[in-house]
Amino acid sequence: MTAGTAPSTRWPAIPKDLRGLAVRPNMVDYDASRAAFSWDEARHALAGLPDGGVNIAYEAVDRHAAGERAGHEALRFIRADGTARSLSYAELAEQTGRFAGVLHGLGIGRGERVFSLMGRSPELYVAVLGTLKNASVFCPLFSAFGPEPVRQRLHLGSGRALITTRALYRRKVAQIRDELPELEHVLLIDAEGLPDPGTLDLAELMRDAQPLETVSTRAEEMALLHFTSGTTGTPKGAIHVHDAVTAHHATGFFALDLHPDDVYWCTADPGWVTGTSYGVIAPLTHGVTTIVDEEEMDADRWYRILAEQHVTVWYTAPTALRMLMKAGADHAAGHDLSALRFVASVGEPLNPEVVVWGQEAFGQPVHDNWWQTETGGIMISNYPAMEIRPGSMGRPLPGVEAAIVARDPDGKAVLRNGEAVLVTEPEGVGELALRPGWPSMFRGYLHEDERYRRCFAGGWYLTGDLAKMDADGYFWFVGRGDDVIKSSGHLIGPFEVESSLMEHEAVAEAGVIGVPDPVAGEVVKAFVELRTGWQPSEALKLDIIGFARKRLGPAVAPRLLDFTDALPKTRSGKILRRLLKARELGLPEGDTSTIESPPGRYPGAPA
Ligand code: ATP
Ligand code: MG
């Protein structure tokens, strides 16, 4: 495989000094923590059920409710008007026990699937954990999905129960109900004593239910079903088990640096794996207070929440950060963000420009980390006490072995004697791979065994992303396997081009694709969204292209450039390059169930 272009060297490394940190990080020495770590040890950090079983909800809720953190605020929901309502660990234990009792009373049992379709309200969080307490499997959906994506997922996942609102039921579910014979129960959170025909009043059932003790589950028992974001095609249903909680807890400790007194805010919606792994499970296992914003993203609102709620640890997404950057620094001014001690991001490549901008906006760089629905938890990360190299995803978590696997021209892993061949020279591009065995690894794609098997080769799980590793073991994202552009013998990752474009003062965000070219094979085309106050013009187009050529050289810089008001994105805010390409080439758009609509409105929901 041709070598990719070198990692961004324009951005100097950002050193870390322990003395400058207000709170001593959980990990002060990366190599020492890696050497000392084992997953078995990590399991001991959790309680486990008395009979040796493992249940996510027990670790997240029950064990705190039974101890001195019972009265500690577990979840704090911020309503549209900025007022808050809270649930303590004890209250959460009581309500989730009731919810489990409701399911039990309806005859929904072990391994059966419970879906949600609703905004980020307390009922959603109670439903996630209550379902797990009942040994049933939870599958959260984005409330913004249309009827067809809802039907598809409920059908694939054999949903037996759905928790939703009256309005969403009427708009999205009532008309598809006949096509879902397995969907026995629909529970409305806002029925107010008058459920629609064919639905049940959840509040009433909760009042009457007997709280259920957490049912014992085995570590390898299925707990969660998460559909991927659909960035590259039809979403896949990834199966996760209760033992995943070991990874959620350990990664919350190392990568998010959670401490018991933290006020933590994950902006992701549980409809995306981030919003469940790190919006519900990881923080609760650490006994911290988690903020949930019930509204959609808005720059002023977000700064207000960070300041007024005294958020200490913030986990968000590149698209949100780019939107804050686009809105301008004035929005940050006047907000006291002094409580904020750690900012992390996931979901898409994080442009170096944004990492560095964090220092101006939040008084610290943004810490990128990498993972997928399939990995269930953070795999590669930047840490509070480790130097940041802007544009790099960081280094593998303790307990995680990552490598770059060589690919043949067809994109298949190169094997020798049954073992995958690794790219060992620094900066060599290949497929990012992980050694199987971490607890939150997916255990299958629902109904797609063959596809699951194809993800593994030569002793590795192949992620489908291309990356490179530098001489010091930092990983650099190059692009999704499907997005990489081959132009005149060069292998070009869209991320590098997009990041360079973003350094132009007029550019807020960019999506880059390859379009066929008779001479070069493919040439680079960029779609550019301008910052507030800039107008598209031919002169500006040439200026941006010229700017990119200076930075990247003519072989890599975009040859073509279009302005756009809003790049197509998934609901998690990921740029849908495959859609840009399909539209450019007049090809079918493929699966668009996860597309953000209307475009340009980030739904507060990374992925
Ligand atoms: P689908 O698999 O359906 O196409 P998806 O891959 O976008 O969708 P997710 O599992 O939500 O679904 O996203 C994981 C992917 O997001 C990763 O494989 C990677 O391509 C991208 N990603 C996540 N975090 C980062 C990051 N820090 N840097 C670069 N890319 C990232
Ligand atoms: Mg994927």
Side-chain angles (χ1 to χ4, degrees), residues 228-236 272-273 345-350 368-374 393 463 465 477 480 574 607:
T228 59
S229 294
T231 313
T232 47
T234 309
K236 300 150 276 197
W272 181 35
V273 67
S345 159
V346 71
E348 270 211 305
L350 184 66
D368 187 23
N369 59 54
W370 177 96
W371 59 290
Q372 312 177 300
T373 308
E374 290 85 344
M393 310 185 284
T463 66
D465 285 345
F477 185 80
R480 293 164 176 276
K574 294 167 191 265

Side-chain angles (χ1 to χ4, degrees), residues 86 125 154 163 201 223 370 379 395 420 499 503 557 584 589 592:
S86 294
Y125 291 74
L154 275 165
I163 328 298
D201 181 343
W370 177 96
M379 296 284 109
R395 299 174 71 188
S499 288
E503 290 172 26
E584 177 70 20
E589 296 198 347
T592 52

Side-chain angles (χ1 to χ4, degrees), residues 438-458:
W438 71 96
S440 62
M441 190 180 91
F442 69 141
R443 301 298 196 273
Y445 284 130
L446 196 69
H447 309 316
E448 293 189 272
D449 294 344
E450 179 48 35
R451 189 173 199 172
Y452 180 68
R453 268 195 296 278
R454 280 204 309 270
C455 295
F456 300 85

Side-chain angles (χ1 to χ4, degrees), residues 279-292:
V280 187
I281 302 169
L284 293 178
T285 66
H286 283 274
V288 307
T289 299
T290 294
I291 302 289
V292 179

Side-chain angles (χ1 to χ4, degrees), residues 148-227:
E148 180 50 25
V150 171
R151 189 201 62 76
Q152 234 184 16
R153 286 165 179 75
L154 275 165
H155 170 70
L156 263 172
S158 309
R160 268 202 78 195
L162 171 71
I163 328 298
T164 185
T165 66
R166 185 195 298 274
L168 289 170
Y169 180 73
R170 288 182 181 169
R171 284 213 319 270
K172 303 179 179 195
V173 185
Q175 73 259 46
I176 55 167
R177 187 82 189 265
D178 286 351
E179 299 166 54
L180 296 166
E182 290 179 277
L183 181 62
E184 258 176 84
H185 303 292
V186 173
L187 289 78
L188 302 185
I189 64 170
D190 55 355
E192 289 172 3
L194 287 171
D196 282 24
T199 69
L200 298 166
D201 181 343
L202 178 62
E204 191 186 306
L205 293 172
M206 287 281 279
R207 264 193 310 274
D208 299 343
Q210 281 287 60
L212 196 79
E213 283 281 307
T214 297
V215 175
S216 181
T217 40
R218 285 168 289 110
E220 285 301 310
E221 214 166 316
M222 182 171 172
L224 298 159
L225 175 65
H226 273 298
F227 287 94

